Amino acid sequence: MLDQQHDAGRASADGSPRDARYHRPLPGGGYVEIEIEPARENGPSRGWLIVERRADVGRRFGHHPPIVAEEIHDDADALLAELFRLAHDNAALARRLMQWQSARVRVD
């Protein structure tokens, strides 16, 4: 089931428009969301899989949720299908979050 009411029409950091195409709550709180940037003049579409781990909405203020996957594809339907597959796999989301976290760890 797609939820297109949540944050639809958000802009990316560079100001380009993004459409929230899918949104679902996570079992422990937070949500997973797919955002798509429409293709420009015969170019590929880009999509992002975002995982917000904070259950408390107040703690989300001022923080951007982790982007755990980014896909670029000439076929927007194939792009959405790949991100949708990941968005429904809680184990894959957990692995992607661990990879995201380990990439942020600073080496002293």
Side-chain angles (χ1 to χ4, degrees):
M1 168 173 16
L2 296 179
D3 177 356
Q4 296 186 15
Q5 296 175 9
H6 179 79
D7 291 339
R10 241 189 328 190
S12 66
D14 67 359
S16 58
R18 290 186 184 175
D19 291 328
R21 295 288 181 93
Y22 175 78
H23 176 90
R24 79 168 170 98
L26 291 171
Y31 61 86
V32 61
E33 183 170 272
I34 296 172
E35 292 184 354
I36 302 292
E37 179 183 77
R40 297 181 192 175
E41 294 187 35
N42 300 324
S45 294
R46 294 176 55 154
W48 298 267
L49 184 63
I50 297 164
V51 178
E52 174 57 76
R53 302 160 296 161
R54 296 177 178 96
D56 180 3
V57 176
R59 290 191 61 223
R60 296 179 191 166
F61 182 73
H63 300 278
H64 296 286
I67 296 172
V68 298
E70 180 176 354
E71 297 285 333
I72 300 173
H73 205 290
D74 290 330
D75 181 353
D77 290 335
L79 170 76
L80 187 57
E82 177 61 22
L83 292 174
F84 190 75
R85 182 187 64 75
L86 285 170
H88 274 273
D89 185 343
N90 286 338
L93 289 175
R95 285 190 299 273
R96 296 280 180 133
L97 274 171
M98 286 188 292
Q99 291 169 348
W100 177 82
Q101 287 172 324
S102 67
R104 295 187 52 167
V105 173
R106 295 179 189 251
V107 177
D108 292 331

